[in-house]
Amino acid sequence: MLAYIATRVGRAIFTISLVLTFSFTILAATGDPALLIMSVDAPPEAIEAFRERYGLDASVWQQYIGYLGNLLQGNFGQSLRDGRDAWDVVVERIPLTLALTVPAFLLKIGIGIPAGIYAALHRNSFLDRLVMMISVAGYTVPSFVLGLILILVFAVNLGVLPSGGQDTWRHAILPIVTLGTAGAAIIARYTRSAMLEVLGQPYIRTARAKGVPWPKAVRRHALPNAAIPTLTVVGLMVGSLIAGAVVVESVFSWPGVGRLLISAVANRDLMIVQAILLLVAVCMVTSNLLVDIAYGLIDPRLRGRSGSRKT
Amino acid sequence: MREPLVRINGLTIDFDTGQSNVRALHGFDLQIEKGEAVGIVGESGSGKSITWLGALGLLGPRARVAGSVRLDGREILGLGEREMAAIRGKRVAMIFQDPTSSLNPVHRIGRQLVESLVLHRGMSARSASAEARRLLERVQIAAAAQRLSEYPHELSGGMNQRVMIAMALAGEPDLLIADEPTTALDVTIQAQILEVLKEMRRETGMGLVIISHDLGIVAELADRVVVMYAGRPVETAPVSRIFDAPRHPYTRGLLAALPEIDGALERLVAIPGQVPEPHKLPPGCPFAPRCAQANANVCDETVPTMRAIAQDHAAACALIHTAKPEALRSLELA
Ligand SMILES: Nc1ncnc2c1ncn2[C@@H]1O[C@H](COP(=O)(O)OP(=O)(O)OP(=O)(O)O)[C@@H](O)[C@H]1O
Ligand code: SF4
Ligand SMILES: [Mg+2]
């Protein structure tokens, strides 16, 4: 198990360094931020000074090395817009985004998993078909469309909820529902098919043949095994808690990390974009790592021949 | 009259495939005495597995099982899930063809054995785990204590089948249904597993239903054989009689396909063609399309039913019963 975890951690670090290099390269290649930030008719000396101040006059390679060095010291550079520390700018948005994504995540799990299990256990029943129909609708409708529909119904027509902003908790309801719906639909589908797959396995028949009553066979032999594939999607959703709300934040004018990213990209605010990308990458890679470790804990086949308790 | 251990009468199984209803088992009758070993033989698709899965209520919700299955005289068909669960594993245990996928991959061997012991013998987890080890030793698994903490993927197929047998023994059942227990295993391992089954029967006196497409395997373990074809029994007799005086053309075909035990280079004569699927049965005798003796006048008219030929011997072939006594005698001598 230790070797298993060590490999996964190594792979995670490798992935993060790849992301770092990649994002830096792409953004460095997209244009000279100095020309974008300063007005067109700024005097050349001012542009020079700007470049010098932000280290933009060094070679790309030196910038990269310097950037990595800074990262190791926890220095993510300054926003090209207002000179504030890039990390501070990003961090202050995180709670706002989490205020949407965490409740939405709970909604996805709380609805998606039970609905998927129910549908699988009552395959082809009326409710199974209903759940699957809602689920198809839930994940084929893009979230900005769903968001706009919800705004039309609840904000414009019924006038019961605000359409945008973040002043009260009521402002969060529509974005959370929008985020949660698609996720719940996806989780329900995954859970259902994972359960159906497991319920068809010979060891479920064995469990029943040895006298385990059906409800117990489901709890003891089907659910843990079906959790393995379901974990993959759930893990992806955990990884996107911080940056998974870009579209919804825009639709509902919610000033979270997602909207910061969009404006930073539009402004070529290099340091902010990098800080966000790095944050996202770390979240994704970490949640992947956690999922991998959870796999290893649940499924002994992945741990390799020598199980943790052996030898 | 004493009740047999198991008495199956007119068992039928239909599958609801959504649009249509297909009958896969067309009336199965069998009695098994306490401690008796019965072999069920037939090619793939002849209905061997569904008969027993159906009898134990292990077919899915799309299967409609009708008729009668009595255990010690008590009707068990249509019992609720709780009552059936109390019978499964405790009175009647079942093992399957692919032992490795028949065990839960994420539970340790010990845990799976203990589960049965706690269910059927009301043991505490502690004493159950000691008993689990004894069970593994009984099926001749070496290093039993260590195996308890291993997972099915760490054991060979033969070893896992021994675990399945040990698990079946946990409930001290009166009847073990072994559905092709050696089909997925190497020949040498097959022989070992058959040996374990024999040994366990000697030790416990439990009855056995051995399902196989191989008459040779059945002959090793069973007292009596039921030959099945396309969802029907077509011949039943004591093992020796099946080998010495087979009457149904299908049984003869199966025998001809057996390799000679003494190693002579006998040509294997497999029966040409295959078992018709349940929704494509011919109108008369289901074996007619493949039967060398088929006679269009008799065989395509009605489905022959099982009729007694001698004490303990019955077959379902129109020719046997329409044949004149002399012809019958010559058949018997053949
Ligand atoms: N769930 C099901 N739905 C529809 N038909 C089924 C189902 N299970 C089995 N059948 C049909 O019932 C027939 C008998 O199947 P069964 O599994 O009993 O055959 P078998 O004699 O055990 O063959 P094998 O040697 O391959 O195990 C087959 O034709 C099969 O197509
Ligand atoms: S009834 Fe006819 S077709 Fe069927 S087994 Fe007998 S001889 Fe062959
Ligand atoms: Mg079978």
Side-chain angles (χ1 to χ4, degrees):
Chain A
M1 188 70 193
L2 269 181
Y4 174 83
I5 293 179
T7 339
R8 308 292 134 157
V9 172
R11 200 183 289 173
I13 293 172
F14 178 70
T15 313
I16 288 179
S17 60
L18 270 188
V19 169
L20 260 173
T21 313
F22 186 72
S23 65
F24 181 86
T25 315
I26 293 287
L27 284 162
T30 45
D32 186 341
L35 294 179
L36 289 161
I37 290 291
M38 313 290 284
S39 57
V40 191
D41 47 354
E45 309 86 68
I47 292 181
E48 251 347 282
F50 181 92
R51 285 186 170 150
E52 208 167 316
R53 169 145 183 248
Y54 290 101
L56 294 172
D57 51 348
S59 75
V60 169
W61 183 241
Q62 279 168 315
Q63 287 185 45
Y64 179 60
I65 295 292
Y67 182 66
L68 286 186
N70 280 334
L71 285 190
L72 287 178
Q73 296 161 32
N75 180 2
F76 287 78
Q78 282 109 34
S79 165
L80 299 178
R81 277 272 133 181
D82 51 15
R84 290 182 58 208
D85 191 75
W87 189 240
D88 290 346
V89 175
V90 174
V91 164
E92 69 187 20
R93 303 290 192 106
I94 292 178
L96 285 168
T97 292
L98 290 182
L100 295 187
T101 51
V102 170
F105 177 73
L106 297 178
L107 198 68
K108 295 172 195 178
I109 304 243
I111 292 178
I113 290 183
I117 292 173
Y118 181 91
L121 291 177
H122 301 85
R123 187 181 190 174
N124 293 324
S125 67
F126 170 73
L127 271 174
D128 173 30
R129 284 162 212 250
L130 188 70
V131 165
M132 283 305 107
M133 253 170 53
I134 295 174
S135 154
V136 168
Y139 90 141
T140 39
V141 175
S143 56
F144 74 90
V145 174
L146 179 62
L148 291 176
I149 292 173
L150 289 178
I151 288 176
L152 263 178
V153 174
F154 291 96
V156 179
N157 282 349
L158 300 177
V160 289
L161 288 170
S163 66
Q166 50 106 203
D167 306 324
T168 68
W169 61 270
R170 297 177 65 240
H171 288 87
I173 293 179
L174 290 183
I176 288 172
V177 170
T178 309
L179 275 174
T181 304
I186 293 170
I187 291 188
R189 294 186 70 81
Y190 260 81
T191 307
R192 177 180 183 268
S193 67
M195 273 299 278
L196 286 179
E197 160 89 26
V198 166
L199 289 174
Q201 292 296 312
Y203 57 82
I204 296 295
R205 189 185 53 198
T206 304
R208 301 193 66 210
K210 77 197 235 192
V212 182
W214 178 239
K216 202 181 251 180
V218 169
R219 257 181 288 130
R220 210 182 264 173
H221 293 274
L223 291 181
N225 302 52
I228 298 170
T230 307
L231 258 179
T232 314
V233 256
V234 173
L236 271 178
M237 289 176 179
V238 170
S240 63
L241 282 179
I242 284 187
V246 176
V247 174
V248 169
E249 282 178 4
S250 301
V251 171
F252 291 96
S253 326
W254 186 272
V257 177
R259 270 192 60 203
L260 177 64
L261 176 65
I262 288 188
S263 62
V265 167
N267 300 330
R268 303 269 152 112
D269 200 341
L270 208 69
M271 298 311 169
I272 301 277
V273 171
Q274 291 227 27
I276 294 179
L277 286 184
L278 188 55
L279 181 67
V280 169
V282 168
C283 288
M284 278 303 194
V285 171
T286 310
S287 73
N288 255 323
L289 181 65
L290 292 178
V291 166
D292 274 350
I293 291 174
Y295 276 168
L297 289 176
I298 299 180
D299 192 339
R301 287 167 296 186
L302 295 175
R303 298 201 290 262
R305 259 194 92 80
S306 53
S308 51
R309 292 234 206 122
K310 265 183 57 191
T311 61
Chain B
M1 198 186 89
R2 244 187 74 253
E3 268 295 325
L5 176 64
V6 174
R7 182 205 291 277
I8 300 177
N9 280 116
L11 189 68
T12 61
I13 296 174
D14 297 77
F15 287 105
D16 178 5
T17 57
Q19 310 92 339
S20 66
N21 208 43
V22 182
R23 176 151 294 191
L25 190 70
H26 303 255
F28 184 89
D29 304 292
L30 182 68
Q31 292 185 23
I32 303 175
E33 300 298 332
K34 223 168 166 45
E36 196 185 8
V38 177
I40 311 285
V41 188
E43 290 164 291
S44 192
S46 48
K48 308 181 295 295
S49 299
I50 56 166
T51 303
W52 300 96
L53 292 171
L56 288 178
L58 292 174
L59 291 169
R62 321 202 112 208
R64 248 195 304 288
V65 184
S68 163
V69 178
R70 285 169 184 275
L71 187 63
D72 284 333
R74 174 186 175 220
E75 181 64 54
I76 63 167
L77 218 57
L79 284 184
E81 171 69 12
R82 282 241 140 240
E83 288 159 298
M84 275 319 279
I87 290 171
R88 297 181 198 129
K90 177 68 191 153
R91 303 293 318 278
V92 184
M94 191 161 181
I95 63 174
F96 304 97
Q97 174 168 344
D98 185 352
T100 302
S101 58
S102 293
L103 289 165
N104 191 325
V106 311
H107 290 183
R108 293 173 199 278
I109 301 294
R111 177 170 176 196
Q112 308 196 40
L113 288 165
V114 164
E115 181 175 42
S116 287
L117 289 164
V118 170
L119 269 174
H120 299 303
R121 306 247 292 265
M123 291 182 160
S124 68
R126 182 90 154 297
S127 54
S129 109
E131 175 67 14
R133 182 179 161 178
R134 281 224 305 285
L135 283 172
L136 287 189
E137 280 160 359
R138 274 174 71 193
V139 295
Q140 287 140 42
I141 287 186
Q146 186 197 328
R147 299 291 177 220
L148 288 177
S149 63
E150 292 182 347
Y151 292 94
H153 76 278
E154 298 176 285
L155 272 56
S156 67
M159 202 90 89
N160 279 328
Q161 194 60 286
R162 287 171 198 260
V163 171
M164 286 292 290
I165 295 172
M167 206 155 81
L169 294 176
E172 301 175 321
D174 299 306
L175 183 67
L176 171 65
I177 298 162
D179 188 354
E180 312 212 25
T182 62
T183 306
L185 307 174
D186 292 346
V187 184
T188 47
I189 310 293
Q190 281 191 14
Q192 292 171 10
I193 295 293
L194 294 182
E195 210 41 57
V196 169
L197 284 173
K198 266 190 220 169
E199 177 67 30
M200 290 306 113
R201 237 165 69 66
R202 265 200 299 277
E203 268 182 32
T204 64
M206 67 180 174
L208 176 72
V209 171
I210 170 81
I211 299 175
S212 177
H213 50 245
D214 183 345
L215 257 173
I217 287 176
V218 164
E220 272 210 48
L221 289 170
D223 311 318
R224 193 152 54 93
V225 179
V226 178
V227 180
M228 288 186 75
Y229 188 80
R232 290 189 169 85
V234 295
E235 183 161 14
T236 174
V239 169
S240 57
R241 240 185 113 83
I242 285 285
F243 276 85
D244 298 342
R247 296 296 299 277
H248 197 282
Y250 181 59
T251 312
R252 296 180 179 197
L254 290 179
L255 281 166
L258 269 185
E260 287 290 302
I261 299 169
D262 56 21
L265 281 178
E266 183 91 354
R267 191 165 47 97
L268 291 186
V269 200
I271 311 165
Q274 54 201 1
V275 183
E277 285 173 51
H279 61 279
K280 286 194 214 139
L281 291 183
C285 172
F287 188 55
R290 303 168 70 188
C291 181
Q293 274 97 301
N295 172 329
N297 294 327
V298 199
C299 304
D300 293 348
E301 297 269 299
T302 50
V303 182
T305 52
M306 287 288 270
R307 283 161 69 177
I309 299 164
Q311 176 86 27
D312 291 337
H313 190 172
C317 168
L319 287 198
I320 299 175
H321 306 293
T322 54
K324 296 192 172 66
E326 313 88 75
L328 197 72
R329 269 183 44 143
S330 70
L331 258 176
E332 259 167 12
L333 293 174

